[in-house]
Amino acid sequence: MDWSHYRFRSLWALPAPPAAVYDLLEQAEDYPRWWPQVRKVTKLSDTTGVITIRSVLPYDMVFTAREVRRDREGGVLEIAMSGDIDGWARWTLTPHGGGSLARYDQVVDVNKPLLRRFAVPGRPVFRANHWLMMRAGRRGLMAYLAGGQQSGHQAD
């Protein structure tokens, strides 16, 4: 087993229709407005950018995100990632009750040397760190949706 290989899945029930959520999620440069752990997004082109994230643990992860799929009708946004993490991430949006269900799937290999060094003993902590980041992202997006897309971070 490669201890630096991770698969994540998060499900967010949201009180807005899939098209409205899609419109927000496709604007990655706005993520820092509602997702505190997305520290910086630097747009390089219409399909590529550099993203810096940091959750609870005191380290930044920096990677280049390149659009792989943008399917508004299908509710799918997918990127390829390279840098401190290599792999892919995908949002899939479907109707759910009166709103939508946002499914986030991610498969990555961690390249950051410090994290690779502590891959085995740190794995539960790294997974918890990711879970906390996703929880804060959902809360931030919920507040952003409720507040009419106002800027500012939501505390977790």
Side-chain angles (χ1 to χ4, degrees), residues 3-154:
W3 292 97
S4 294
H5 181 79
Y6 292 86
R7 290 181 176 273
F8 298 107
R9 175 172 294 152
S10 296
L11 300 172
W12 297 358
L14 300 167
V21 176
Y22 183 96
D23 289 345
L24 293 176
L25 292 177
E26 78 172 339
Q27 301 300 317
E29 61 274 11
D30 290 340
Y31 281 29
R33 291 177 176 222
W34 55 267
W35 199 337
Q37 292 77 13
V38 179
R39 301 300 173 103
K40 185 176 178 185
V41 176
T42 304
K43 191 172 181 177
L44 301 177
S45 73
D46 288 342
T47 59
T48 307
V50 176
I51 300 174
T52 302
I53 59 174
R54 182 181 208 167
S55 190
V56 177
L57 296 176
Y59 60 82
D60 289 346
M61 301 286 280
V62 180
F63 59 91
T64 299
R66 181 181 49 80
E67 178 183 303
V68 172
R69 183 174 175 197
R70 184 184 293 225
D71 178 358
R72 185 170 174 53
E73 291 300 313
V76 177
L77 292 164
E78 185 174 335
I79 60 169
M81 299 178 286
S82 60
D84 287 343
I85 51 177
D86 285 340
W88 60 269
R90 178 188 315 119
W91 288 107
T92 306
L93 302 163
T94 55
H96 180 74
S100 59
L101 185 64
R103 175 177 160 169
Y104 180 80
D105 292 291
Q106 183 181 47
V107 176
V108 293
D109 291 306
V110 175
N111 294 323
K112 193 168 183 93
L114 178 64
L115 300 183
R116 288 188 69 82
R117 190 172 314 123
F118 294 105
V120 174
R123 190 170 179 86
V125 175
F126 300 155
R127 291 187 70 78
N129 192 60
H130 184 272
W131 182 85
L132 290 168
M133 179 176 172
M134 297 305 294
R135 183 181 72 172
R138 181 182 178 278
R139 287 180 176 175
L141 185 54
M142 292 280 286
Y144 199 65
L145 287 165
Q149 302 174 13
Q150 299 169 5
S151 65
H153 287 118
Q154 187 72 16

